[in-house]
Amino acid sequence: MRYSYSLQRLPNHKIISPLVAFTKTYERRALEELLDRARKRDKLTLLEACYALGLAVLSAKSDVDEKSATTALYVATLALHYVSIQVSPLPILVSLASLGEKAPHSYVVLLSAASELLPLDKDTVYYILNSLAHLKTALKWKNSVWPFVYIVETYSSILKKHGEHIRGKTMKILKEMCDISREIRHRELNTITRAYILIPILLYN
């Protein structure tokens, strides 16, 4: 028996809207609960990490606010270390990119965590670099300095751990790191960025 469905047979918005609202609320509460567990125990189990990433991806496909996006990205950052042994981080980074539009400061932290993982393939390294270039523009409108420290840290990590993928771009990345550091007026944060710059300079010299 064949069935055909028309738009008239689909549930109307009065039914769908409460379901969407419920789903968003559930995702947010579940992520907050996982975050609370991680803080108390200072770790996640592998099962919790997979669950957290699944919830974060669901959030990325929903119309969430900045607070929810920040929570999702923070939990995803914690979870990334647990699942990276099993899978490449690139699909995760791509899936969560829409949350970076809502909370670029938190997406930078996720990229920084990803840059620390070993090994990373060339596609992942270049995705991180291209994302940083995009986020620098978005973050300038946020009037916040600390995300730029994470950007410098991420560049430093790529130069230290994944230099084989970026031959010919080393000096350009170092210059970018120095330019960012010069723009950071906060004394302590500026000192941190200079330390991140010094490590690859010593390494490549």
Side-chain angles (χ1 to χ4, degrees):
M1 186 181 220
R2 302 177 92 186
Y3 294 91
S4 62
Y5 290 88
S6 65
L7 290 176
Q8 286 76 17
R9 293 187 178 220
L10 293 175
N12 62 41
H13 72 280
K14 292 182 180 179
I15 297 174
I16 294 176
S17 296
L19 289 174
V20 171
F22 172 80
T23 302
K24 290 180 183 178
T25 302
Y26 172 79
E27 289 168 6
R28 184 176 65 251
R29 289 179 179 175
L31 284 166
E32 289 172 351
E33 182 179 339
L34 284 170
L35 181 57
D36 186 55
R37 288 184 193 176
R39 284 171 172 166
K40 287 179 179 177
R41 295 183 314 200
D42 199 29
K43 65 178 182 179
L44 290 171
T45 66
L46 179 58
L47 182 60
E48 287 172 338
C50 293
Y51 181 45
L53 287 172
L55 287 171
V57 170
L58 284 175
S59 297
K61 295 180 182 297
S62 305
D63 185 21
V64 297
D65 57 18
E66 181 178 344
K67 182 180 179 181
S68 297
T70 298
T71 302
L73 288 170
Y74 187 77
V75 176
T77 300
L78 296 176
L80 189 63
H81 293 281
Y82 294 89
V83 299
S84 61
I85 300 173
Q86 310 292 330
V87 297
S88 166
L90 182 55
I92 297 170
L93 299 178
V94 173
S95 297
L96 301 179
S98 62
L99 294 177
E101 300 294 327
K102 303 283 182 65
H105 53 291
S106 296
Y107 195 65
V108 166
V109 179
L110 178 67
L111 294 175
S112 179
S115 72
E116 294 285 340
L117 301 174
L118 289 172
L120 288 184
D121 59 29
K122 188 174 182 179
D123 288 342
T124 304
V125 170
Y126 273 85
Y127 177 84
I128 292 173
L129 290 175
N130 291 335
S131 296
L132 291 178
H134 171 73
L135 287 167
K136 280 184 296 185
T137 302
L139 286 165
K140 284 183 179 179
W141 298 99
K142 294 288 183 179
N143 295 320
S144 183
V145 174
W146 66 263
F148 288 93
V149 178
Y150 276 98
I151 290 177
V152 174
E153 180 187 26
T154 307
Y155 280 138
S156 181
S157 179
I158 287 174
L159 288 172
K160 287 184 298 180
K161 298 186 175 184
H162 314 291
E164 70 275 12
H165 296 316
I166 53 169
R167 291 190 178 98
K169 294 184 178 291
T170 302
M171 296 309 298
K172 180 180 179 180
I173 293 174
L174 282 170
K175 181 180 181 302
E176 182 63 31
M177 294 167 72
C178 292
D179 289 344
I180 293 173
S181 181
R182 277 193 292 268
E183 292 181 8
I184 296 176
R185 305 303 180 190
H186 190 283
R187 184 175 178 180
E188 286 78 10
L189 295 181
N190 180 268
T191 301
I192 293 171
T193 58
R194 282 186 287 163
Y196 284 136
I197 294 168
L198 182 60
I199 296 170
I201 286 177
L202 293 174
L203 182 64
Y204 282 90
N205 285 340

